[in-house]
Amino acid sequence: MNFRHFTLRSLAIAAAVLLGAAALTPPAAQATHGQGAASGILNTTAWRVCVSGWVDGQNASQYAISQVSATEVNASSVHCPSGYNVSSYAASYPDTWYGSTSCNAWSGSRCASKSVRLNGRTIGTTTQWRKTATHEFGHVAGLGHRSTNASCMTQGAAPPIVTVFDAHDKSSINANY
């Protein structure tokens, strides 16, 4: 075996090891679905949330605020209709989705104001309200969808999907801010 053959073989093995490690690394929980769901990262760690609409949705939004506040973000509920940068409104919408998040105003590359909508027409249980609200607040933080039931950022019903952020979600939120 000559030196050149040994070097190329070593490089090929190293590349294979690195590719294998990359395949085992979980995907980053970033927005990958455009304006409809994640629509960017809120431009501040101080979230002032106006919560309104159906009582079940208001309670779920308060639950989601407590989940977000376990990260580097300081989320709090404020009196409506002024002084907020996130609004969360629960009502009956004619569509089949559980919730949606959108950016209302941009500030450079980040969003200055976001709206969360929770669809009471499709959400029936307290667990689903909590999961949906926390999922949508994850989008406010810039998280994208996941494919593990251990994260509320997975699309679908709870249970089996949990109502909380997993460690990966929290780490991603903290990295965004």
Side-chain angles (χ1 to χ4, degrees), residues 105-129:
W106 288 92
S107 174
S109 63
R110 293 199 174 202
C111 187
S113 171
K114 287 203 172 193
S115 293
V116 170
R117 294 186 303 160
L118 305 173
N119 191 352
R121 182 173 177 264
T122 57
I123 303 173
T125 68
T126 299
T127 301
Q128 187 63 46
W129 276 106

Side-chain angles (χ1 to χ4, degrees), residues 4-78:
R4 182 171 182 220
H5 179 72
F6 180 76
T7 303
L8 290 176
R9 183 172 179 236
S10 297
L11 287 173
I13 291 171
V17 168
L18 288 173
L19 287 173
L24 294 175
T25 303
Q30 295 295 320
T32 58
H33 32 269
Q35 296 286 359
S39 64
I41 299 167
L42 199 63
N43 66 348
T44 179
T45 59
W47 295 11
R48 298 175 318 277
V49 185
C50 167
V51 177
S52 58
W54 292 8
V55 171
D56 287 340
Q58 290 182 40
N59 292 337
S61 293
Q62 295 297 342
Y63 175 83
I65 289 168
S66 73
Q67 298 303 305
V68 169
S69 290
T71 67
E72 299 291 325
V73 173
N74 178 20
S76 61
S77 182
V78 297

